[in-house]
Amino acid sequence: MNKKEVSQKYRIPIEILDEYESWGLCNVVKYVMGEWQYDDQDLDRLSTIMALHDVGFSNKEVEKYMRLLLETNDSKEKIISLLNNQRANKLKQIHLQEKQLERIDYLKFKMKNSKEE
């Protein structure tokens, strides 16, 4: 499949495909008759990239993750560390949002009580 077909079929933005190609990680992708051709292994990697973007990884973090994924030496612990860091950041965000909800609830409570007086 070429870039346009992959983008349309799997709903992957062209920007992500361009990013993937620019990292030089797509050794399997073949440049045929002026177009990149993606195979199943590329689609699997792109699926991972999309998942990483979906959970909040930056472009730089995604590239680091993908480079580690393709390494053979001691990369598993580094990848788990990246995932743990992202998880910790998400938990911090959740806790902050919980505090914000508590403040909203307090303000609602305060408003209801002030009308009753």
Side-chain angles (χ1 to χ4, degrees):
M1 272 189 271
N2 66 31
K3 187 187 293 189
K4 185 177 179 181
E5 292 167 337
V6 169
S7 178
Q8 290 173 346
K9 184 172 182 177
Y10 296 100
R11 296 184 180 146
I12 300 173
I14 292 289
E15 298 80 29
I16 295 212
L17 297 173
D18 290 340
E19 188 177 296
Y20 179 61
E21 292 169 5
S22 75
W23 294 338
L25 301 175
C26 49
N27 295 335
V28 178
V29 175
K30 306 283 188 255
Y31 197 69
V32 179
M33 298 182 69
E35 290 187 301
W36 289 103
Q37 297 296 314
Y38 294 82
D39 66 10
D40 290 341
Q41 187 176 20
D42 295 307
L43 296 175
D44 185 54
R45 288 179 186 161
L46 287 164
S47 174
T48 300
I49 290 169
M50 294 296 292
L52 293 169
H53 278 293
D54 286 347
V55 299
F57 274 66
S58 68
N59 290 348
K60 189 175 181 178
E61 291 168 327
V62 172
E63 180 180 5
K64 183 176 182 178
Y65 183 101
M66 294 307 295
R67 289 191 185 283
L68 287 169
L69 192 63
L70 296 177
E71 282 183 12
T72 55
N73 303 335
D74 302 324
S75 62
K76 189 180 267 187
E77 287 112 24
K78 292 176 184 175
I79 289 173
I80 290 172
S81 177
L82 284 174
L83 293 170
N84 283 337
N85 287 339
Q86 188 67 22
R87 186 177 193 285
N89 289 336
K90 290 295 175 195
L91 281 174
K92 285 179 188 175
Q93 291 174 359
I94 289 169
H95 293 307
L96 174 62
Q97 290 175 340
E98 285 174 338
K99 287 180 183 180
Q100 291 170 335
L101 286 173
E102 288 173 6
R103 289 182 186 138
I104 290 170
D105 291 341
Y106 169 74
L107 292 170
K108 284 173 49 182
F109 172 79
K110 190 175 171 182
M111 186 56 61
K112 284 180 183 178
N113 285 342
S114 69
K115 287 184 178 182
E116 292 174 2
E117 294 174 2

